Amino acid sequence: EPEVTQTPSHQVTQMGQEVILRCVPISNHLYFYWYRQILGQKVEFLVSFYNNEISEKSEIFDDQFSVERPDGSNFTLKIRSTKLEDSAMYFCASSEALPGGEGETQYFGPGTRLLVL
Amino acid sequence: QKEVEQDPGPLSVPEGAIVSLNCTYSNSAFQYFMWYRQYSRKGPELLMYTYSSGNKEDGRFTAQVDKSSKYISLFIRDSQPSDSATYLCAVREEPGGSYIPTFGRGTSLIVHP
């Protein structure tokens, strides 16, 4: 069964450093998402991406964040200058279609646990 | 402010019990309701979704939405130890509106043999 994969599974970084989290969505999916979950808190939407541009983003997704699809398979989330409060589990997801459409189910990856020291 | 409230539990039940998981929400703009299951160290997995009020059944799982009281439920019949996980409710506006989902905190369910 196809699945979303994410690397690395864990990342430890120093405050102020840049990190890139990587995701490989399911191959025939066209819509890509990033979410985060701070320990003990809710899953929060960050951004959605389609056709090489951001479709929608939340208030959390500020100028420190960026997303990219550098090739036909990877989807990345970059945090330019990490803060302590960026420590969280980051989930990538993908879907065939937009929410509300046929094939809209989002499939989540296992997550990358980011710890900022 | 868009809010979804969910009791974090843990909820501990014996194998075979009927489990009731619940969420409340505050914004009547939400029309689309989802339940996810999240095993430890895994991403959320969509279990069921419903649009508007009513019931939807899938095997041992039944999702129920009462829009008049802004209350959503997930029932699990004949619960199994493999059902032990965190269950997240999520809501969003109807198609055509924002599709940003708002999640509850999740309820931890433990089904013991």
Side-chain angles (χ1 to χ4, degrees):
Chain A
E1 185 176 327
E3 57 182 16
V4 177
T5 58
Q6 290 185 243
T7 53
S9 58
H10 295 79
Q11 174 95 45
V12 181
T13 190
Q14 296 290 324
M15 190 169 57
Q17 294 297 303
E18 175 183 285
V19 295
I20 297 176
L21 310 182
R22 291 183 167 78
C23 168
V24 179
I26 294 173
S27 61
N28 64 329
H29 286 185
L30 301 176
Y31 299 85
F32 315 115
Y33 313 84
W34 283 101
Y35 295 83
R36 78 171 186 192
Q37 186 176 27
I38 295 170
L39 189 63
Q41 298 190 27
K42 301 178 181 184
V43 173
E44 298 172 295
F45 172 84
L46 293 177
V47 67
S48 61
F49 190 85
Y50 168 69
N51 200 26
N52 283 319
E53 59 183 34
I54 290 172
S55 303
E56 196 158 359
K57 61 182 181 179
S58 71
E59 297 158 354
I60 303 167
F61 194 88
D62 61 22
D63 292 344
Q64 292 298 312
F65 292 89
S66 63
V67 289
E68 192 179 31
R69 187 148 163 87
D71 53 45
S73 58
N74 289 284
F75 179 50
T76 62
L77 174 70
K78 182 192 290 185
I79 310 175
R80 275 182 252 287
S81 178
T82 50
K83 307 183 189 70
L84 296 176
E85 55 265 35
D86 293 327
S87 296
M89 180 74 92
Y90 287 81
F91 293 107
C92 173
S94 69
S95 65
E96 284 184 69
L98 267 179
E102 190 70 29
E104 64 155 327
T105 299
Q106 293 182 29
Y107 293 85
F108 284 73
T112 293
R113 184 168 295 284
L114 176 66
L115 178 60
V116 182
L117 302 175
Chain B
Q1 185 179 359
K2 299 179 181 181
E3 280 287 332
V4 179
E5 297 299 324
Q6 189 176 7
D7 187 333
L11 177 63
S12 182
V13 301
E15 183 175 356
I18 296 175
V19 175
S20 173
L21 303 165
N22 308 293
C23 285
T24 59
Y25 63 95
S26 56
N27 192 331
S28 58
F30 295 136
Q31 303 282 338
Y32 214 79
F33 309 96
M34 295 157 282
W35 284 97
Y36 288 82
R37 178 175 60 197
Q38 186 176 20
Y39 290 115
S40 180
R41 298 179 185 173
K42 298 281 190 182
E45 171 195 9
L46 181 67
L47 274 178
M48 298 183 73
Y49 66 88
T50 55
Y51 179 65
S52 198
S53 283
N55 292 359
K56 184 174 182 178
E57 190 172 316
D58 184 2
R60 296 185 294 112
F61 298 89
T62 299
Q64 190 174 78
V65 176
D66 181 349
K67 287 178 64 183
S68 61
S69 55
K70 298 189 180 68
Y71 196 83
I72 57 176
S73 302
L74 178 71
F75 299 97
I76 307 174
R77 291 183 297 281
D78 187 25
S79 55
Q80 303 294 310
S82 58
D83 294 328
S84 299
T86 297
Y87 289 80
L88 313 173
C89 64
V91 299
R92 65 158 209 267
E93 295 177 10
E94 63 184 306
S98 171
Y99 57 84
I100 294 178
T102 301
F103 285 84
R105 282 185 62 190
T107 298
S108 175
L109 173 66
I110 301 167
V111 181
H112 51 87

